[in-house]
Amino acid sequence: MTDKQKGFFYAITGPVLWGFSGSIAQYLFTQESIPTQWIVGIRLLFAGLMLVIWCYFIDFKELFAILKKPRYIFQLLAFGLLGMLPAQYTYFMAIKYGNAPTATVLQFLGPLFIIIYISLRKLQMPRRIDLISIVLAILGTFLLVTHGHINQLMLSPAAVLWGVGAGISQASYTLLPRELLRRFDARIVTGWSMLLGGIVFAPFADLTHVPELNWTAIICIIFIITGGTMFSYLFYLQSLNYLTPATTGMLSAFEPLTATVLAVTILNTKVSFAELMGALLILGITFLQALPPNLFNLRRNSK
């Protein structure tokens, strides 16, 4: 297997595992009545702990170097509490009030909010490619939420709000740890942020009261923690050793694709043609943002 083939394998496997995780979460919420807060708390605590232990054996010195400067500790707490925790919580709440496919797609609104943030911060108009992305996001969200019917919502207001919240959280998840990721291994940053977020969230998740779990639910929860969190993230990171971030970003579209296929075939979730078109438009933002910044200018000048 060539390096490029390895890169594609890792870049596709990671999002596929994330997609499985979303559909499994939908099953736990709808069929097993597991509290959302409890799932989020367990996922953050144990996935974070596993990543920290992993990094302990890989790079012991680097693992604790991030805790030696107050500046890094503050940034780590900010990422854990304002990035990692909201991203996990809003995503699962969007699944609870809607379904895995729509929650996963609305999560891909993250680049839209990054565009808006950067434009406001720099006090300048978005680039042409960013304006096209904004239009795609608006049209895609409209189709996803209304199925093309202007006078009615096909998703509950709670599902829409939590889904948009997942997109906003995804933006903060991307923007907050930039300095930390330049200085430390991404696995260390992610592991500590998950663990810290899980510890702070534990009282709200009421982890001391374990819900009644059958063996199916236990296996599902174990998968969400391991395959759907730890290994999916490690596969994604491994793909960056062989592929560009732009390529891995585009291949992340396998996450909503997997969630949709599983939800339709196994969970009997109905997906309309308008929803599929809306999803394609929103996912198109990721592909546009992966294009070279000057591509549109080059095309214009070549005419």
Side-chain angles (χ1 to χ4, degrees):
M1 184 181 291
T2 65
D3 286 349
K4 191 172 184 179
Q5 288 174 330
K6 289 179 182 177
F8 275 96
F9 170 78
Y10 289 127
I12 292 172
T13 303
V16 166
L17 291 174
W18 277 324
F20 267 94
S21 178
S23 295
I24 288 173
Q26 180 178 333
Y27 166 79
L28 290 175
F29 299 151
T30 58
Q31 304 298 321
E32 301 292 341
S33 301
I34 307 295
T36 309
Q37 291 88 342
W38 192 85
I39 290 289
V40 173
I42 287 293
R43 183 187 193 187
L44 286 173
L45 272 176
F46 283 93
L49 183 61
M50 291 171 66
L51 275 172
V52 168
I53 293 174
W54 178 290
C55 294
Y56 177 86
F57 290 102
I58 293 177
D59 195 341
F60 172 81
K61 292 182 179 180
E62 189 77 356
L63 176 63
F64 293 101
I66 197 172
L67 303 177
K68 291 182 178 180
K69 289 187 177 182
R71 177 178 181 176
Y72 294 146
I73 295 175
F74 175 78
Q75 291 179 0
L76 197 58
L77 284 170
F79 177 44
L81 301 183
L82 302 178
M84 180 65 72
L85 175 56
Q88 300 286 333
Y89 186 63
T90 55
Y91 173 60
F92 277 116
M93 289 297 285
I95 293 176
K96 177 182 178 180
Y97 288 104
N99 54 61
T102 55
T104 305
V105 170
L106 288 173
Q107 189 178 229
F108 275 73
L109 289 172
L112 167 67
F113 296 107
I114 292 175
I115 291 169
I116 295 172
Y117 167 78
I118 293 175
S119 298
L120 291 174
R121 183 179 179 182
K122 294 184 177 180
L123 297 178
Q124 65 182 28
M125 286 293 293
R127 302 169 301 167
R128 179 180 299 183
I129 195 170
D130 293 336
L131 291 173
I132 296 174
S133 297
I134 291 172
V135 172
L136 289 180
I138 294 172
L139 290 176
T141 304
F142 170 77
L143 289 175
L144 201 65
V145 170
T146 67
H147 295 191
H149 302 289
I150 300 177
N151 60 343
Q152 60 181 328
L153 287 176
M154 304 305 292
L155 287 175
S156 69
V160 177
L161 289 175
W162 284 114
V164 173
I168 296 173
S169 299
Q170 197 65 28
S172 64
Y173 177 92
T174 303
L175 293 169
L176 283 171
R178 287 181 296 175
E179 183 179 349
L180 289 175
L181 292 175
R182 286 194 296 266
R183 173 64 180 82
F184 301 98
D185 189 300
R187 289 168 293 188
I188 293 174
V189 176
T190 304
W192 278 122
S193 64
M194 281 187 174
L195 186 57
L196 292 172
I199 291 172
V200 173
F201 189 63
F204 302 97
D206 197 13
L207 300 183
T208 56
H209 292 78
V210 180
E212 291 187 13
L213 302 173
N214 55 38
W215 279 107
T216 301
I218 292 172
I219 293 171
C220 287
I221 292 169
I222 291 173
F223 176 83
I224 287 177
I225 294 170
T226 56
T229 305
M230 180 181 174
F231 286 112
S232 58
Y233 186 76
L234 291 176
F235 279 138
Y236 175 79
L237 286 178
Q238 188 68 16
S239 71
L240 295 175
N241 292 326
Y242 306 103
L243 303 174
T244 64
T247 302
T248 56
M250 288 188 288
L251 291 174
S252 63
F254 275 89
E255 180 184 356
L257 174 62
T258 302
T260 300
V261 171
L262 290 175
V264 171
T265 58
I266 297 178
L267 301 177
N268 297 319
T269 302
K270 295 182 179 179
V271 178
S272 68
F273 178 75
E275 282 182 283
L276 291 176
M277 291 303 298
L280 289 175
L281 290 174
I282 292 175
L283 293 176
I285 302 173
T286 301
F287 288 86
L288 280 179
Q289 293 299 309
L291 295 174
N294 59 348
L295 179 64
F296 278 59
N297 292 332
L298 289 174
R299 288 180 176 176
R300 181 185 62 187
N301 295 334
S302 64
K303 293 181 180 180

